[in-house]
Amino acid sequence: MSINLETPKKIRPLIDQAHQVAMNMLRPISRKYDQAEHAYPVELDMLAAMIDGLADSGASEGAGATGVRRDEKAVEKGNKNGANLASVLSIMEMCWGDVGLTLTMPRQGLGNSAIASVANDEQLKRFEGTWAAMAITEPSFGSDSAAISTTAVKDGDEYILNGEKIFVTSGERADSVVVWATLDKSMGRAAIKSFVVTKGTPGMRVERLEHKLGIRASDTAVIIFDNCRVPAANLLGSPEIDTKQGFAGAMATFDNTRPLVAAMAVGCARASLDLTRDVLAQAGIEIDYDKPAYAQSAAAATFLQLEADWEAAYLLTLQSAWMADNREPNSMEASMAKAKAGRVGSDVTLRCIELAGTLGYSETDLLEKWGRDSKILDIFEGTQQIQQLIVARRVLNLSSAELK
C-alpha cells in the first residue's frame, strides 16, 4: 500500500467546514475565553449541535475525537481513508482556530477515544453521546502509566474505586470520566483497566481546577475517588487479567489519541506560520521558494526552515492516522508523530513570536497565545521524552524492562 499525499476527495468538505468553524466561530472568541479562565464557552453548545446534526445525516465522518475506532471488518482493496484520517485533518483545522476551545468541545473528549478504542459493542452503544474526559495521571507519576495506584476492588456487581487523579482535561464539564485503575497492584501492568464513571456518581468529586499557562479555555481538574462505586459493566473491554497481553488494551487508547494531539500541534503551528507570513510580507520581507535559504534574508531563511519542520510533522501525523484506518500497527508511528509534532509546535510558535517582534509578544494578535497553548501539546498524552523512548524500543526491538 502507498500513501497519496493529496487530501482525499471525500474528506475535503469536512476540512472546509472545520476551517470555516475555526475562522468564524473559534477565532473570534479565542481571546475572550483565554482571559475568562474556567468560564464555560457557551458558544460551543451550538457548534456541538451542528456536529451532531452532520453525524446524524451521515454527512460527517470523523468530525472530532470520537472518530478513531479501528474497523475490524476486512479492509477494502487498496488504500482506505477513514475516520482516523478525517479526524486528524479536521482537528488540525479546528486548532488553527483555537486549541483550548477544541479540547472543550462537548462530546469530543479524549475519554471518547478511550471508549472508541477498547469498549465492546454493547458499551459503545450504551455510552454513545456521552462526553468523556480521561483520568490517568496521578500525583506520584506523569507519563509512566504503569505506575497507576488508583485501585478498583470488585464487590458483587460493582467495583469500588479509590485514588486521586490530576490534570484531567474537561474533568468538571464532561458527562463522564474514563478512569484508569488497577485491579491488583501485585499483578503489574496487566491488572490496569479503564472504567467509565458518570458525573454525579457518589464518591467522585472534583477537588479543584488548575490555573494554567495555556489552553485556558479548557478546564483541567483534580478528581478524588473515595469509595466510589461503579457498575461492573462499566469496565471497558475484558475484566480478565491477561499477563501475556499486559495492559495493551488500555494502552491501545494512546495509538489513537497521540495522532490527535499531534494534529492539534500541527494546526496551532500552521496558524502561527500563516500569520507570521503576513507580518513579514507587510514588513517587505519576501519568502522565495525558488531561491536557496542562504540567498535570502535571515527572517525568510528561518521561516523556510520552520515550514520544512512543520511539513515533516504534518506527514508523520497523516501516516499514523492512515495506518490505523488500514488496520496496520501504528504504535511507533503514533509516537513518532506525537514527538515530532509536539516539538515542532513549540519551536514554530515561539520562533514566530520572535520573527514578529513586538507584535508577536503583545496581545494585539494571537501569536503569544499560540506560543502558550502549544507547550502542553509536547507534554500531555506522553511527554516528548517518553515518545522517544517508545520509538527507541520499537526500533531496537527491546522491551520496557530492557530499555528504561
Side-chain angles (χ1 to χ4, degrees):
M1 290 185 182
S2 60
I3 300 176
N4 185 327
L5 297 180
E6 293 295 321
T7 304
K9 239 183 225 179
K10 69 174 182 178
I11 299 177
R12 284 177 204 160
L14 173 65
I15 296 172
D16 291 341
Q17 287 166 348
H19 186 78
Q20 290 301 317
V21 165
M23 182 168 58
N24 299 317
M25 297 185 75
L26 301 188
R27 284 272 181 102
I29 61 173
S30 182
R31 182 67 71 186
K32 171 184 173 183
Y33 287 105
D34 179 55
Q35 293 172 340
E37 188 173 18
H38 301 157
Y40 176 67
V42 292
E43 293 89 342
L44 295 183
D45 287 336
M46 181 175 70
L47 183 53
M50 286 169 53
I51 290 175
D52 289 346
L54 286 171
D56 290 343
S57 68
S60 166
E61 179 179 21
T66 55
V68 289
R69 182 171 175 80
R70 272 173 212 266
D71 188 2
E72 292 304 320
K73 297 172 189 171
V75 175
E76 60 210 48
K77 279 191 176 182
N79 294 338
K80 178 176 168 128
N81 298 310
N84 291 276
L85 188 63
S87 288
V88 297
L89 286 168
S90 63
I91 282 174
M92 282 177 197
E93 293 298 337
M94 294 288 281
C95 289
W96 181 90
D98 190 275
V99 176
L101 291 169
T102 300
L103 277 168
T104 202
M105 277 290 298
R107 295 180 293 290
Q108 303 291 331
L110 292 170
N112 290 100
S113 291
I115 293 171
S117 300
V118 295
N120 59 39
D121 290 339
E122 182 276 328
Q123 290 170 330
L124 275 176
K125 190 168 183 183
R126 183 153 46 93
F127 296 126
E128 186 179 4
T130 191
W131 177 7
M134 189 152 65
I136 303 175
T137 309
E138 298 177 4
S140 60
F141 78 90
S143 293
D144 183 10
S145 300
I148 283 169
S149 60
T150 295
T151 57
V153 178
K154 187 81 183 289
D155 183 25
D157 292 332
E158 296 177 317
Y159 283 94
I160 303 172
L161 270 57
N162 280 286
E164 179 180 357
K165 295 292 185 180
I166 61 175
F167 301 132
V168 182
T169 301
S170 298
E172 183 184 51
R173 296 170 184 169
D175 306 320
S176 55
V177 182
V178 175
V179 183
W180 287 32
T182 178
L183 302 182
D184 184 347
K185 190 72 175 168
S186 68
M187 297 288 286
R189 294 166 177 250
I192 295 172
K193 301 291 181 180
S194 48
F195 299 81
V196 178
V197 185
T198 54
K199 194 173 186 177
T201 301
M204 179 177 80
R205 72 176 188 273
V206 174
E207 189 71 3
R208 70 174 185 274
L209 298 178
E210 302 289 359
H211 295 282
K212 307 187 299 295
L213 170 75
I215 59 165
R216 291 161 61 89
S218 169
D219 69 310
T220 304
V222 173
I223 302 180
I224 305 291
F225 298 91
D226 182 8
N227 291 323
C228 179
R229 288 184 169 270
V230 180
N234 284 22
L235 185 155
L236 293 175
S238 170
E240 302 302 318
I241 298 175
D242 184 349
T243 52
K244 289 181 182 175
Q245 187 191 30
F247 69 146
M251 288 300 286
T253 299
F254 286 128
D255 296 343
N256 282 338
T257 57
R258 281 173 177 159
L260 297 179
V261 176
M264 292 174 190
V266 168
C268 187
R270 184 74 255 169
S272 292
L273 288 169
D274 290 348
L275 181 54
T276 302
R277 185 202 304 277
D278 292 342
V279 170
L280 293 178
Q282 288 165 19
I285 297 170
E286 181 188 354
I287 298 159
D288 191 337
Y289 292 95
D290 293 325
K291 281 186 188 175
Y294 67 80
Q296 301 188 55
S297 68
T302 299
F303 189 88
L304 289 169
Q305 176 201 334
L306 295 176
E307 278 208 320
D309 257 0
W310 178 89
E311 188 77 21
Y314 171 75
L315 293 175
L316 282 168
T317 304
L318 294 194
Q319 181 191 28
S320 63
W322 176 89
M323 289 177 74
D325 280 335
N326 287 273
R327 293 183 61 206
E328 294 188 14
N330 74 332
S331 182
M332 182 176 75
E333 288 77 10
S335 286
M336 289 171 71
K338 169 66 168 66
K340 180 65 175 177
R343 177 166 290 177
V344 164
S346 282
D347 287 350
V348 166
T349 54
L350 292 177
R351 294 299 296 278
C352 284
I353 289 171
E354 291 175 16
L355 287 174
T358 54
L359 181 65
Y361 205 69
S362 73
E363 291 187 355
T364 306
D365 225 310
L366 291 168
L367 279 171
E368 62 81 26
K369 181 183 181 299
W370 295 332
R372 289 186 287 111
D373 286 347
S374 67
K375 188 58 206 171
I376 190 58
L377 304 175
D378 198 23
I379 298 173
F380 71 3
E381 294 299 291
T383 63
Q384 173 74 220
Q385 293 78 8
I386 287 294
Q387 304 310 324
Q388 292 186 15
L389 189 57
I390 292 169
V391 173
R393 286 170 183 160
R394 298 284 182 179
V395 170
L396 300 173
N397 197 26
L398 296 174
S399 69
S400 56
E402 292 170 317
L403 184 60
K404 295 181 179 179

